[in-house]
Each structure stands twice: as C-alpha cells, then as structure tokens.
Amino acid sequence: MRRLVLLILLPLLLWAGQVQAADIPLLSMTSPQGTQDYNIKLQILVMMTALSLLPTMLLMMTSFTRIIIVLAILRQAIGLQSSPPNRVLIGIGLALTMLIMRPVWSDIYEHAFKPYDNNQLTFTQALDVAEKPLHRFMLRQTREKDLEQIMQIADEPREQKAENISFSVLLPAYVLSELNTAFQIGFMIYIPFLMIDLVIASVLMAMGMMMLSPLIISLPFKLMIFVLADGWALTVGSLAASFHGG
C-alpha cells in the first residue's frame, strides 16, 4: 500500500519540491477587532494546482503512454471499434505500467521513502534521492534527437551531463520519444492485419462481390489468426522488452 501511495504522490512531490515558497503569504487578513491574523500560504495554492495536474504528470512520467497507444492501435488494426472497451485498455495499461515500473518504485521506496519515514532523511534529501531512479528510467527511454531538440527550445547548454538535465527539459523529450516508439511498434503490429484486409479485398474483387465490405469478411480471420498466434502475449512481451532494452 505504501508503494502505491508513493507511486501516486511522487510526481506531485517532484514538481512541488522545486517550488521554494514555504514562507511566502499569498493572502493576509486581520479580524475586525485586530486581535488575530489569518495567513494563506502560497504553497497551499501550489499543492491544489499540483493535485489537478497529478494524473497527467503520472501518465507522462511512466510507461503508460506507450502502452495505451500501442493497445489502441492494435484494437483499430483488428477492426474492433469498441472492444475491448477503453476502460479495459486503461486497466491493462495501468497493470503493465505497475509491472514495468516496479524496479523504479522499489528503488525509490527502499532508498528514499523508507529512510524518510524513519526520519533518517529530510524531505528535500528524500526528494533528491527519489528523483534519481525515475530520472535514469526516463533518460534511458529518451532518444538523443528528441532531447537535443527540447534543449534547443529551452535554450539549455548541450554540454551538460545527462544526470544534470532538469525534469522540465527531460519530461517533454521523454514524451516525444514515447510517442515515436509507440507509433513504430503500432506500425509493425498494423502491417499483418493490413495484409489480411488486402487479401480478402482481392478475393472479393475476383469473385465479383464488390458491394460486400471486406471488413465483414476479414474481421473473423483477423481474430482467428490473432488468437492462434497468441497475439496478446506477443504484444505484452514486445512492450515489456521495448522498455527493458531501452
């Protein structure tokens, strides 16, 4: 349970930890009698804003983006519009994300959260330790070309070491790389199903059945071939291998 809570709160901590506004009052009020002051700190606004961005940050800093895009392309390649439903795909994506990211979360839990929970590290120290394994994972999956492009946009020096690249630069480069990799995997998945559609369309044309939609005939064949080839296991295995080999 603690690892799950850490998984949910880590992106929030990484973002909020960069805001040095602990003692800056956002709004100050005094009671009509002048006997009591009410201060609203700026970090409250920061925390509320971070909570609204938490789901997006969580998905962008993990393997979820690549997985859900590949699964969506697979469903479209088969020709199924709403099966499996979106909620099922999201559930599969989250389950695979937890599995693939488990070494990262274990490292953060053992070397950052547990020492902080035992009062061996301060919050800032624990945050610095927790940032390193996630930073390494994202950097390992990021293409050098995408990273250089984002650094050029951010006007960052390219001579700096990889471990010194800030999250504000690494995050968009990581997302771009994930999109590119997901589309490459999706293209490789799409080709066999496209070939089946072409064969079915050619057979129907040769038989003079031009008014019959090829999708009606090809869908059962695609489902049968996908099941016989153990397509789900191959897809999941390929996705996991794409991260481990990064």
Side-chain angles (χ1 to χ4, degrees):
M1 179 60 66
R2 288 187 175 184
R3 294 187 182 185
L4 180 59
V5 172
L6 181 62
L7 167 64
I8 296 174
L9 294 181
L10 180 62
L12 171 63
L13 297 178
L14 290 176
W15 184 74
Q18 299 178 2
V19 180
Q20 304 296 328
D23 297 321
I24 301 177
L26 176 65
L27 180 63
S28 298
M29 296 181 295
T30 304
S31 62
Q33 294 79 14
T35 58
Q36 188 174 4
D37 293 334
Y38 301 93
N39 294 327
I40 301 177
K41 300 297 183 179
L42 183 60
Q43 66 267 27
I44 297 178
L45 178 62
V46 172
M47 294 293 290
M48 295 301 295
T49 304
L51 285 176
S52 64
L53 299 175
L54 179 59
T56 302
M57 296 177 64
L58 176 62
L59 301 184
M60 293 174 62
M61 298 169 66
T62 63
S63 58
F64 181 82
T65 301
R66 183 189 305 185
I67 295 172
I68 195 63
I69 291 177
V70 171
L71 293 179
I73 293 177
L74 172 62
R75 182 178 64 178
Q76 185 176 2
I78 296 176
L80 300 172
Q81 300 300 323
S82 58
S83 182
N86 291 332
R87 292 184 179 181
V88 175
L89 293 183
I90 292 175
I92 296 174
L94 289 175
L96 291 177
T97 299
M98 292 293 294
L99 181 62
I100 293 174
M101 300 290 295
R102 185 172 60 179
V104 178
W105 305 135
S106 298
D107 193 351
I108 295 174
Y109 179 77
E110 292 294 334
H111 298 95
F113 182 77
K114 287 181 65 176
Y116 173 74
D117 193 39
N118 295 329
N119 296 323
Q120 298 176 359
L121 294 177
T122 64
F123 175 79
T124 304
Q125 293 173 339
L127 192 60
D128 292 337
V129 174
E131 180 181 350
K132 294 179 180 178
L134 187 60
H135 190 281
R136 287 195 300 266
F137 171 82
M138 296 173 62
L139 187 63
R140 191 165 59 244
Q141 306 301 327
T142 303
R143 298 190 309 166
E144 184 177 353
K145 180 179 180 181
D146 295 328
L147 186 58
E148 291 180 354
Q149 182 178 5
I150 297 301
M151 293 180 68
Q152 181 179 1
I153 295 175
D155 197 18
E156 291 279 343
R158 301 184 183 181
E159 296 79 14
Q160 59 182 316
K161 297 182 180 179
E163 57 271 16
N164 296 331
I165 298 176
S166 63
F167 257 91
S168 60
V169 174
L170 180 60
L171 182 59
Y174 171 77
V175 174
L176 288 179
S177 298
E178 287 295 282
L179 290 175
N180 181 78
T181 304
F183 274 67
Q184 289 179 351
I185 298 175
F187 173 77
M188 299 302 297
I189 292 176
Y190 213 107
I191 291 299
F193 297 105
L194 180 60
M195 297 302 298
I196 296 175
D197 288 333
L198 291 176
V199 171
I200 296 297
S202 300
V203 172
L204 292 178
M205 288 286 292
M207 297 175 62
M209 304 174 66
M210 293 176 293
M211 300 301 296
L212 182 62
S213 175
L215 295 178
I216 299 177
I217 306 299
S218 63
L219 180 57
F221 286 96
K222 289 190 288 187
L223 289 175
M224 179 185 65
I225 294 176
F226 185 73
V227 172
L228 292 177
D230 202 5
W232 287 112
L234 291 175
T235 302
V236 172
S238 299
L239 284 171
S242 68
F243 286 100
H244 294 161

